Amino acid sequence: MKYVLPTLGTIAAISLFAFSSSNQTAIAVERPSYDETFQQLELFADVLARVRSDYVVDVNDGELIEDAINGMLQSLDPHSSYVSPDDFRDLQVSTSGEYGGLGMEVTTEEGFVKVIAPIDDTPAKRAGVKAGDYITEIEGETIMGVSLNDAVKRMRGKPGEPITITVARENEEPLEITMVREVIKRQVVKYEIKDGIGYIRISQFNEKASEGLAEAVAGLKKEIGGKIPGIVLDLRGNPGGLLDQSIKVSSAFLDGGEVVSTRGRTSSDTERYNGERGELAKGIPLIVLIDGASASASEIVAGAVQDRGRGLVMGMTSFGKGSVQSVIPLRGGRDGALRLTTQRYYTPSGRSIQGTGIDPDIYVSAVPDDGKEQKMRREADLPNTIPNENEDGEDASEDTKAEIVMDYPPEGFEIEDDYQLQKAIELLKNGNYSQKLAEAG
């Protein structure tokens, strides 16, 4: 099975890629000779032995080797890493949709732990943790330079136990936030009728996403009492998840046909994934909402809807994580696992969104225009990120993007009133949807 992992978040997915013999041959040609490799391994062993014998305090061999492995993998790209046996078990639990903790996606950025997005209806969301927050302390102790796994372990604990974290926000004083740990049961799909239009939010693509979407569409039809006049699919702040779930969710709006393709280091290492026939929401006008925290599997869905002309994409340019990670168990998971970037993914028209993201058909900001550029950290800003390549193998250029016309909320508009959602509902109700869809195509 193959999965697309979120943006280096604590919630990840599991997959195992089988490497073909042709790939193995290609790799063997590019590698240095075995003699040279063994010499480097001997150097590593010499350094380890010297540290064990001469370092100022006793060291743990296992921790040193694990850190060395992680250093090697993280020098490749931001998403490759070693997964310890304990973390591998946690990872398997996370993708099933239930785990203990505070309920937020986190990553590391220049030695800091950064919040990608808080999860709906969790302690983190209710306490006011925001996307883009930097967690600097846990229970009064600094976590600067601490590994992501260690930081996550410190934040997890028994349900009912309180925890205080310190967060830093741009242009604000450090803020202490106290929460009570809970068992995080992810209701990843929510729906309701807003002003006569069906609203469906998917917060993450775990194992329950497509099932939840089917229930949402059925529930909307029942409440409306007939055909749904329009659907707003909200993928804002959705960091991604399982590849198969992104395909199944796309299938609800596409009657078969290609959803996404993945390509590895050789031209023969290409796979195409088609949606299932029997469009669940056939003929229903569709707007997909995205923002700078929509990543990975979210971008697959938005890109497929956009390329296939099935609906409009509205909001802000997405995160730009267009790479696929394989989580390869080591000795059946007893020695943990290797999370390794093995492929890029491409939209049906052949676009790689790695580092560039999905540009919406209609740009709508969530906040009023303050005269300053609103720039979120995205995939292209991460250290050692994999470059985007077009079909000619050249780096994609930002200069090729069309001039952006941005729709901002009026002065004094309350962010909580959700301007992006209001504009999506307005477009579905005012009769201009078909015209805008034709213009986007």
Side-chain angles (χ1 to χ4, degrees), residues 194-200 228-234 283-289 310-314 362 420-437:
K194 289 183 177 286
D195 200 11
I197 297 297
Y199 170 78
I200 301 175
I228 305 170
I231 288 177
V232 178
L233 179 63
D234 190 352
I284 301 175
L286 173 67
I287 293 179
V288 180
L289 290 179
R310 174 57 183 86
L312 289 167
V313 177
M314 180 182 288
I362 303 173
Q420 292 170 322
L421 177 58
Q422 287 189 16
K423 296 300 290 186
I425 293 173
E426 177 185 315
L427 181 57
L428 287 169
K429 295 189 67 171
N430 67 13
N432 292 331
Y433 170 84
S434 297
Q435 177 186 339
K436 292 291 186 181
L437 185 60

Side-chain angles (χ1 to χ4, degrees), residues 117-120 125 187-192 199-204 216 232-238 289:
I119 301 167
D120 294 344
K125 184 75 170 183
Q187 184 184 351
V188 296
V189 181
K190 294 182 177 181
Y191 71 93
E192 62 181 297
Y199 170 78
I200 301 175
R201 170 160 177 77
I202 302 179
S203 59
Q204 198 249 343
V232 178
L233 179 63
D234 190 352
L235 300 181
R236 293 173 297 178
N238 184 322
L289 290 179

Side-chain angles (χ1 to χ4, degrees), residues 52 76 142 175 219 327 333 401 431:
R52 293 182 64 190
L76 300 175
T142 181
L175 177 66
V327 179
K401 293 184 177 181

Side-chain angles (χ1 to χ4, degrees), residues 332-352:
R334 286 173 292 176
D335 288 341
L338 177 65
R339 181 190 285 120
L340 190 66
T341 299
T342 53
Q343 295 178 310
R344 292 184 178 94
Y345 67 74
Y346 296 77
T347 67
S349 67
R351 289 183 294 162
S352 169

Side-chain angles (χ1 to χ4, degrees), residues 400-421:
T400 61
K401 293 184 177 181
E403 184 178 352
I404 295 174
V405 178
M406 184 71 68
D407 182 359
Y408 290 98
E411 187 176 349
F413 187 90
E414 296 293 335
I415 296 176
E416 292 77 12
D417 292 336
D418 200 339
Y419 187 70
Q420 292 170 322
L421 177 58

Side-chain angles (χ1 to χ4, degrees), residues 142-209:
T142 181
I143 58 169
M144 183 177 177
V146 171
S147 72
L148 182 65
N149 289 337
D150 286 344
V152 170
K153 285 179 181 177
R154 294 189 194 184
M155 286 186 281
R156 288 187 175 178
K158 295 181 179 180
E161 289 183 343
I163 180 175
T164 299
I165 65 172
T166 303
V167 302
R169 293 175 184 162
E170 190 173 359
N171 301 323
E172 293 187 24
E173 292 294 322
L175 177 66
E176 287 191 354
I177 300 177
T178 299
M179 294 168 275
V180 177
R181 296 179 177 95
E182 295 179 3
V183 174
I184 306 300
K185 295 183 178 180
R186 286 198 141 197
Q187 184 184 351
V188 296
V189 181
K190 294 182 177 181
Y191 71 93
E192 62 181 297
I193 299 171
K194 289 183 177 286
D195 200 11
I197 297 297
Y199 170 78
I200 301 175
R201 170 160 177 77
I202 302 179
S203 59
Q204 198 249 343
F205 287 87
N206 70 10
E207 295 172 357
K208 302 176 182 179

Side-chain angles (χ1 to χ4, degrees), residues 99-347:
Y99 61 98
L102 303 176
M104 52 185 163
E105 306 284 353
V106 295
T107 184
T108 52
E109 187 176 289
E110 299 178 355
F112 294 94
V113 176
K114 180 181 179 181
V115 178
I116 297 171
I119 301 167
D120 294 344
D121 294 328
T122 64
K125 184 75 170 183
R126 292 192 294 270
V129 176
K130 298 180 179 180
D133 282 350
Y134 289 91
I135 302 174
T136 59
E137 296 180 2
I138 299 175
E139 297 292 7
E141 295 185 6
T142 181
I143 58 169
M144 183 177 177
V146 171
S147 72
L148 182 65
N149 289 337
D150 286 344
V152 170
K153 285 179 181 177
R154 294 189 194 184
M155 286 186 281
R156 288 187 175 178
K158 295 181 179 180
E161 289 183 343
I163 180 175
T164 299
I165 65 172
T166 303
V167 302
R169 293 175 184 162
E170 190 173 359
N171 301 323
E172 293 187 24
E173 292 294 322
L175 177 66
E176 287 191 354
I177 300 177
T178 299
M179 294 168 275
V180 177
R181 296 179 177 95
E182 295 179 3
V183 174
I184 306 300
K185 295 183 178 180
R186 286 198 141 197
Q187 184 184 351
V188 296
V189 181
K190 294 182 177 181
Y191 71 93
E192 62 181 297
I193 299 171
K194 289 183 177 286
D195 200 11
I197 297 297
Y199 170 78
I200 301 175
R201 170 160 177 77
I202 302 179
S203 59
Q204 198 249 343
F205 287 87
N206 70 10
E207 295 172 357
K208 302 176 182 179
S210 61
E211 178 184 336
L213 176 63
E215 293 174 355
V217 172
L220 288 173
K221 288 180 178 178
K222 183 177 180 180
E223 289 186 33
I224 290 175
K227 184 177 180 180
I228 305 170
I231 288 177
V232 178
L233 179 63
D234 190 352
L235 300 181
R236 293 173 297 178
N238 184 322
L242 306 179
L243 175 58
D244 72 322
Q245 289 295 308
S246 71
I247 295 168
K248 290 178 179 179
V249 167
S250 299
S251 297
F253 306 100
L254 302 172
D255 190 16
E258 184 171 318
V259 172
V260 66
S261 63
T262 59
R263 306 177 198 173
R265 66 190 298 172
T266 65
S267 58
S268 60
D269 187 16
T270 299
E271 294 191 47
R272 301 185 183 278
Y273 297 88
N274 294 327
E276 301 171 2
R277 301 300 297 269
E279 190 178 349
L280 184 65
K282 186 173 184 177
I284 301 175
L286 173 67
I287 293 179
V288 180
L289 290 179
I290 61 171
D291 63 11
S294 303
S296 193
S298 296
E299 296 172 294
I300 289 177
V301 175
V305 168
Q306 190 176 62
D307 279 6
R308 299 279 301 277
R310 174 57 183 86
L312 289 167
V313 177
M314 180 182 288
M316 304 292 284
T317 300
S318 61
F319 186 79
K321 183 181 179 296
S323 62
V324 181
Q325 282 68 49
S326 307
V327 179
I328 307 171
L330 303 173
R331 293 182 62 195
R334 286 173 292 176
D335 288 341
L338 177 65
R339 181 190 285 120
L340 190 66
T341 299
T342 53
Q343 295 178 310
R344 292 184 178 94
Y345 67 74
Y346 296 77
T347 67

